[in-house]
């Protein structure tokens, strides 16, 4: 189900094995102004739609395919970690799987995004391909259910 569509960002709710997750597909050159506007737009979307999803599950994945972006700076990655990840955590996200950009410069910045929030409740991992990202999350879920 599509939740948001723009020239540089599409957001949808996807389902795999009965487990809903959020999918973001990013593309283009992300200037600081455009990137931050899109992030704040996405937060508004999540505030509206996530309560319905979270009633049914304990973990929630944000799958972010950023393979189509050609530029993002380290400053935006640092901003995400400090300012936005705590908001994602508050909204109910527990995991974030990021598919790396094909652009060398953008991929170097995105590699710095991996890590665990201060509370330990929000985990971000970066992957080279979509299949690895999805497998990682479902391996985590299966361990949690056992």
């Amino acid at each position: 189900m599509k939740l948001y569509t723009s020239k540089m960002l599409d957001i949808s709710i996807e389902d795999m094995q009965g487990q809903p997750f959020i999918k973001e597909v990013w593309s283009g050159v992300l200037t600081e102004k455009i990137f931050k506007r899109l992030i704040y737009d996405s937060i508004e979307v999540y505030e509206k739609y996530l309560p319905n999803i979270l009633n049914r599950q304990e973990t929630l994945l944000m799958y972010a395919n950023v393979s189509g972006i050609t530029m993002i700076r380290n400053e935006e990655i640092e901003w995400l970690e400090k300012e936005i990840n705590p908001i994602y955590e508050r909204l109910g996200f527990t995991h974030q799987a990021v598919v790396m950009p094909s652009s060398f410069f953008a991929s170097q910045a995105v590699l710095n995004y991996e890590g665990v929030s201060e509370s330990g409740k929000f985990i971000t991992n970066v992957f080279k391909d979509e299949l690895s990202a999805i497998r990682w999350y479902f391996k985590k879920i299966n361990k949690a259910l056992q």
Side-chain angles (χ1 to χ4, degrees):
M1 176 171 116
K2 285 274 189 202
L3 301 179
Y4 179 90
T5 300
S6 76
K7 184 178 176 182
M8 296 181 169
L9 174 62
D10 289 323
I11 301 173
S12 59
I13 297 175
E14 305 289 326
D15 189 279
M16 186 175 284
Q17 299 176 348
Q19 192 79 20
F21 63 94
I22 297 295
K23 181 177 182 179
E24 297 181 343
V25 179
W26 292 81
S27 62
V29 177
L30 300 174
T31 65
E32 178 183 11
K33 184 177 179 179
I34 291 170
F35 182 66
K36 287 184 176 184
R37 181 183 50 82
L38 290 170
I39 290 291
Y40 286 127
D41 287 353
S42 70
I43 289 169
E44 287 181 22
V45 168
Y46 300 143
E47 287 173 337
K48 181 177 179 181
Y49 289 101
L50 289 187
N52 294 331
I53 296 173
L54 291 172
N55 288 336
R56 298 179 283 165
Q57 63 191 63
E58 293 180 22
T59 63
L60 182 59
L61 169 68
M62 177 191 298
Y63 166 76
N65 186 334
V66 298
S67 62
I69 66 169
T70 56
M71 191 64 192
I72 188 167
R73 301 175 321 144
N74 285 326
E75 290 83 351
E76 279 77 56
I77 298 299
E78 291 169 8
W79 173 77
L80 280 173
E81 291 173 331
K82 292 177 184 167
E83 303 293 327
I84 301 303
N85 283 359
I87 295 171
Y88 288 159
E89 188 175 328
R90 178 183 55 79
L91 289 169
F93 287 106
T94 58
H95 297 79
Q96 181 172 219
V98 179
V99 176
M100 285 183 18
S102 55
S103 158
F104 175 77
F105 294 109
S107 66
Q108 294 308 300
V110 170
L111 279 172
N112 294 326
Y113 192 38
E114 266 193 341
V116 179
S117 67
E118 287 185 23
S119 71
K121 295 179 182 178
F122 182 69
I123 303 164
T124 300
N125 274 353
V126 177
F127 301 89
K128 291 184 179 180
D129 61 81
E130 180 174 340
L131 185 58
S132 299
I134 298 296
R135 281 185 177 160
W136 166 76
Y137 178 63
F138 283 98
K139 185 185 269 187
K140 294 273 187 192
I141 288 174
N142 289 334
K143 283 183 182 178
L145 294 176
Q146 294 175 355

